[in-house]
Amino acid sequence: MLQSTLTSMLTVFPFKIKTRNYSNTIITAITNFAQSVRHNASTENMLLQQHNPTSAYVHLPFCRKRCHYCDFPIVALGLSSPHGDEDEDDPRIVNYIDYLCREIKATSVPSNYNKSPMETVFFGGGTPSLVPPRLVSLVLETLDAKFGVCSDAEISIEMDPGTFDVKKLKDLMNLGVNRVSLGVQAFQEELLKSCGRAHGVREIHEAIDIVGSCGVENWSVDLISSLPHQKSHMWEESLTLTIQAKPTHVSVYDLQVEQDTKFGSLYTAGEFPLPCENQSADFYRMASEMLRDAGYEHYEISSYCKSGYQCKHNYTYWINKPFYAFGLGSASYLNGLRFSRPRRLKDYKDYVQNLENGLVNCFQDSKVDAQDIAMDVVMLSLRTARGLDMKSFGKAFGSSTLLSVCEVYKPHIESGHVVCLDEQRREIAAEEFSSLLSEGNKINEVLAYIRLSDPDGFLLSNELISLAFNVLAP
């Protein structure tokens, strides 16, 4: 069973990915597996130079207060002045934005990449909507001066109910922000209070009205399941109200109790008042069924969208494309390496100073093992409905590796947790798959993708991805 997680993956991905995700053991394994098999340099170069980075994650760490489940790198500002309408900006925000812009300016473009304009920018946090638009503008101007920003770039910002009004949202839209991710989390007052959220249900409805009145076409709602004392009827109500609000995108995340949080001192995963594993799985199945019935495509393990409204920025991660990241605790992915910035504010400021002085080289000794890249590709691809492109995988890592992955998934194809598809994305029956596999190279000709079934395969993603890891790094 997929363990309940609401894990900050800022050490692996640079965005607030509070998701039903892979265990920390699996994530760590990407970089810690024994490097017993190395491919030649030409293979590594082929894998690393397919794309120029055209996405940037920007971490704005400010929150009114720390939620009880949160272990992200944040700066708590207090509950006053949520809209940032004061004549003078908060000096803590001003100072951070200065360091952030300095980091962007001092960042070098790897020599093997061409300088390409940004096609996506994602402001995550924290609560980025606490930052005044004039300071968000400084960051966008700095990015544009350094890399360029496409005129039609997807520019996303996370916003919490109660932290913005019509004026602030319109000001952000005038800067080019064209996608909003609204941190609702739950529609029940008691659940919001138990999580330590700074907003209530009234602020949620006000925020939804503001997004609608401002004409934001592309917007998402974030929900969290498996909260303390959360019942099935509560989760159903949150999903129903979300569907009625008609966002173009919905993200459904499942709680993990992190050790260094208030929840970590109060609760144990799977024990009352938290739901047990079976209840958490039922929440996940309910979300998948209700959202798909409402016309949302379940395109990624925790992400649903109306047709044409996938989050372009996040899809950069799922296809393992390189990207920049800036700010406290964020992690970039360049030259096949994930480089994490410090999570403590003082250390981050020291890092920026050292970067400006030429004392930081994110690409020094950047030897990348093809084995590590293969595990990245498998883990990220199997998060998506598209699945793992087996033909590309075979070309990059060899037919023997492809066959080994097929062998390990054979029982799970028979059980229906793993689905095989041909180039037209027609399903290959388990019997046909077994026959093709027994003929060796025949499987290479017919099999185009493998993916996890929805929802039951996604629910076993930890275990299924671990199986592939054991093949790739025995």
Side-chain angles (χ1 to χ4, degrees):
M1 184 65 64
L2 176 64
Q3 74 175 64
S4 300
T5 58
L6 177 60
T7 182
S8 169
M9 290 178 58
L10 289 171
T11 57
V12 179
F13 301 111
F15 55 97
K16 189 162 62 176
I17 181 173
K18 311 151 294 186
T19 182
R20 176 185 296 273
N21 210 340
Y22 313 111
S23 67
N24 290 336
T25 301
I26 294 177
I27 295 299
T28 305
I30 295 174
T31 53
N32 288 347
F33 265 124
Q35 299 182 359
S36 57
V37 180
R38 293 193 59 86
H39 285 228
N40 60 41
S42 61
T43 301
E44 293 177 8
N45 290 338
M46 177 185 70
L47 294 167
L48 297 179
Q49 295 182 3
Q50 290 179 347
H51 303 284
N52 293 313
T54 57
S55 295
Y57 172 82
V58 180
H59 192 66
L60 302 179
F62 304 101
C63 288
R64 288 184 285 178
K65 57 183 289 194
R66 182 178 287 277
C67 298
H68 297 165
Y69 52 75
C70 175
D71 71 341
F72 306 140
I74 71 160
V75 176
L77 299 176
L79 296 176
S80 62
S81 305
H83 297 303
D85 293 330
E86 309 85 351
D87 292 333
E88 294 186 6
D89 297 323
D90 188 313
R92 292 168 293 182
I93 300 179
V94 173
N95 183 257
Y96 177 82
I97 295 296
D98 176 62
Y99 274 92
L100 183 62
C101 291
R102 287 167 58 184
E103 181 193 357
I104 294 169
K105 292 174 183 177
T107 295
S108 61
V109 178
S111 58
N112 59 313
Y113 291 133
N114 295 322
K115 184 177 178 180
S116 300
M118 296 298 98
E119 297 175 2
T120 73
V121 177
F122 194 103
F123 290 99
T127 307
S129 48
L130 288 172
V131 177
R134 51 188 168 270
L135 297 180
V136 175
S137 178
L138 287 178
V139 179
L140 286 171
E141 289 169 4
T142 305
L143 285 170
D144 190 35
K146 179 70 178 184
F147 305 105
V149 176
C150 294
S151 60
D152 61 347
E154 177 192 86
I155 302 179
S156 305
I157 190 166
E158 292 180 340
M159 308 185 81
D160 277 0
T163 64
F164 64 98
D165 53 17
V166 169
K167 181 181 183 304
K168 173 175 274 191
L169 182 51
K170 285 187 174 180
D171 286 347
L172 289 169
M173 293 172 70
N174 289 335
L175 298 177
V177 172
N178 51 25
R179 185 177 183 278
V180 168
S181 181
L182 191 62
V184 171
Q185 317 311 1
F187 279 88
Q188 295 75 35
E189 204 74 53
E190 61 268 38
L191 294 185
L192 294 170
K193 288 180 179 177
S194 71
C195 291
R197 296 293 289 176
H199 68 264
V201 174
R202 178 175 60 83
E203 287 84 4
I204 291 175
H205 292 295
E206 288 175 351
I208 291 173
D209 289 342
I210 291 170
V211 170
S213 67
C214 289
V216 179
E217 179 183 343
N218 190 0
W219 66 288
S220 180
V221 166
D222 287 1
L223 296 176
I224 302 177
S225 65
S226 301
L227 294 169
H229 300 287
Q230 189 176 40
K231 306 299 183 184
S232 178
H233 71 88
M234 296 177 175
W235 182 233
E236 184 176 5
E237 179 186 42
S238 288
L239 291 166
T240 299
L241 291 172
T242 295
I243 291 168
Q244 290 175 356
K246 298 181 179 180
T248 52
H249 190 282
V250 182
S251 294
V252 174
Y253 303 124
D254 203 34
L255 180 71
Q256 178 177 358
V257 178
E258 299 287 354
Q259 184 175 0
D260 296 324
T261 64
K262 186 169 183 178
F263 274 4
S265 65
L266 295 174
Y267 306 127
T268 300
E271 296 183 7
F272 184 83
L274 297 178
C276 67
E277 278 195 345
N278 287 339
Q279 289 173 311
S280 294
D282 287 342
F283 287 156
Y284 189 78
R285 291 189 180 98
M286 183 188 295
S288 177
E289 180 180 355
M290 288 183 64
L291 290 168
R292 286 190 292 162
D293 286 349
Y296 289 89
E297 173 194 353
H298 193 179
Y299 74 96
E300 187 269 333
I301 197 168
S302 59
S303 304
Y304 302 77
C305 71
K306 294 291 188 177
S307 180
Y309 287 96
Q310 291 185 359
C311 179
K312 295 177 183 177
H313 182 86
N314 285 354
Y315 213 75
T316 295
Y317 308 140
W318 312 142
I319 63 174
N320 214 32
K321 185 178 176 182
F323 52 82
Y324 296 101
F326 305 101
L328 188 71
S330 65
S332 54
Y333 179 55
L334 301 166
N335 280 347
L337 297 176
R338 306 194 189 279
F339 181 85
S340 298
R341 285 126 191 93
R343 291 172 57 95
R344 293 170 57 91
L345 190 57
K346 181 183 182 302
D347 295 338
Y348 170 70
K349 292 179 178 180
D350 290 341
Y351 158 77
V352 173
Q353 186 69 57
N354 289 333
L355 184 67
E356 291 176 321
N357 292 335
L359 301 177
V360 177
N361 184 351
C362 306
F363 320 113
Q364 188 174 8
D365 299 325
S366 56
K367 284 289 185 181
V368 179
D369 197 299
Q371 181 186 84
D372 293 334
I373 301 173
M375 290 189 286
D376 260 356
V377 170
V378 168
M379 183 188 72
L380 297 171
S381 296
L382 291 182
R383 291 184 60 95
T384 68
R386 180 176 185 268
L388 177 62
D389 185 333
M390 297 300 281
K391 292 190 179 298
S392 296
F393 187 80
K395 288 178 182 178
F397 304 106
S399 59
S400 62
T401 301
L402 183 145
L403 290 173
S404 296
V405 171
C406 289
E407 285 283 359
V408 80
Y409 281 141
K410 182 180 175 182
H412 305 281
I413 292 166
E414 294 171 353
S415 69
H417 292 96
V418 176
V419 179
C420 298
L421 304 169
D422 65 16
E423 289 187 358
Q424 285 73 44
R425 296 196 67 81
R426 291 182 299 226
E427 185 171 347
I428 300 171
E431 296 80 4
E432 182 183 359
F433 174 83
S434 181
S435 175
L436 292 169
L437 190 58
S438 66
E439 297 181 41
N441 288 335
K442 190 70 174 177
I443 193 77
N444 297 332
E445 300 173 13
V446 179
L447 180 63
Y449 298 93
I450 60 170
R451 57 154 297 176
L452 305 186
S453 62
D454 181 8
D456 291 333
F458 281 150
L459 282 166
L460 288 177
S461 58
N462 276 355
E463 291 85 345
L464 294 172
I465 291 169
S466 292
L467 291 174
F469 280 11
N470 290 336
V471 168
L472 297 170

